Amino acid sequence: KALAALALQNGAKFSNIDILTGCHDQATSTDTAELMLENQWDSVDPNDFLGFIMAGKNIQNRELLKLAFTKGADTSKIKRFYKLPSEETVDLLLAHDLDPSKLLSLVCHSYTFNDADVARKTQFLGLALEKGADVNKLERFSQLPTEEEVDLLFAHNLDPSKFLSLIWNIYTH
C-alpha cells in the first residue's frame, strides 16, 4: 500500500494501468482496496472495482464487496463472474438489489470446473428463478448447460429459439 501511495503521489494513475483487467488472480487487501477507492489523486470507480472483485479471486471477499457498496457500487454494472461466488456472496448481491434476471445471466455465463460447481450453479439458477428471473432475458452461456439446467430453464418457459441461439453462440464466439 505504501509503495502504491508513493507512486500515486508522484503522478501515477490507476486509470493508466491495467489494474482492473490484469490482476483478477491477485488477492487484494482491504487497505489496498481503500487506496484504490479513496485516494485523492486517481480513485477507481466503485462499479469498476466491483467488476474487478467479481472477475477473480476476490469474489468471496465480503469485506471488499461491502466496501464497494459503501462507495456506491451498483450491482447492475457487474459484467461477469469468472467463477461462481459463494452462497453468502450471492445473498449479499441480492441484498444490494442485484436483479434476479441479471443473476441468472451471470451464473449461466460463469464457468464450472467440478461437480460441486455444477451443483452450486444449478442451485443459483433455481434461486434466481425463485426470485422472479425472466429466462428469456438470459444473455449467454459460457459453456454447454447440463440437462438439469436446461430442464429448469424450459420449465420456466425459455423460448426454444432463444435457447438455440444461446447454444449456437457458444460455438461461434
Side-chain angles (χ1 to χ4, degrees):
K1 177 182 174 183
L3 292 175
L6 183 61
L8 290 165
Q9 290 170 5
N10 284 289
K13 295 190 180 300
F14 283 116
S15 55
N16 289 345
I17 60 174
D18 205 11
I19 187 84
L20 298 178
T21 58
C23 300
H24 297 303
D25 289 334
Q26 303 300 316
T28 302
S29 70
T30 304
D31 285 346
T32 301
E34 288 172 350
L35 178 66
M36 292 170 76
L37 291 165
E38 297 174 355
N39 77 80
Q40 63 192 22
W41 304 281
D42 183 45
S43 60
V44 173
D45 180 271
N47 293 320
D48 291 340
F49 184 73
L50 181 60
F52 166 71
I53 295 169
M54 294 289 97
K57 284 189 177 179
N58 295 299
I59 196 166
Q60 311 303 355
N61 190 327
R62 290 175 57 85
E63 293 307 310
L64 294 183
L65 285 170
K66 289 177 185 176
L67 180 61
F69 292 132
T70 299
K71 298 297 179 188
D74 179 355
T75 56
S76 71
K77 304 294 184 189
I78 299 172
K79 293 182 179 139
R80 66 182 299 229
F81 297 154
Y82 175 71
K83 60 182 183 176
L84 288 171
S86 66
E87 192 171 337
E88 295 80 18
T89 298
V90 169
D91 289 342
L92 185 61
L93 294 172
L94 289 169
H96 284 86
D97 300 323
L98 179 63
D99 180 84
S101 296
K102 178 79 172 184
L103 175 61
L104 183 74
S105 285
L106 290 168
V107 169
C108 286
H109 190 228
S110 65
Y111 290 93
T112 53
F113 299 101
N114 55 49
D115 290 342
D117 284 349
V118 172
R120 201 165 68 226
K121 187 174 195 174
T122 304
Q123 173 192 354
F124 292 154
L125 291 178
L127 176 63
L129 294 167
E130 178 184 303
K131 298 277 186 187
D134 180 348
V135 293
N136 291 302
K137 289 185 178 178
L138 190 56
E139 297 169 2
R140 68 186 71 85
F141 290 114
S142 61
Q143 61 195 105
L144 288 174
T146 66
E147 189 173 324
E148 184 178 4
E149 293 166 358
V150 172
D151 289 344
L152 189 58
L153 295 170
F154 278 128
H156 285 83
N157 301 316
L158 177 61
D159 179 301
S161 295
K162 169 98 175 167
F163 177 73
L164 181 60
S165 175
L166 291 166
I167 297 302
W168 185 257
N169 282 328
I170 293 171
Y171 294 109
T172 59
H173 287 94

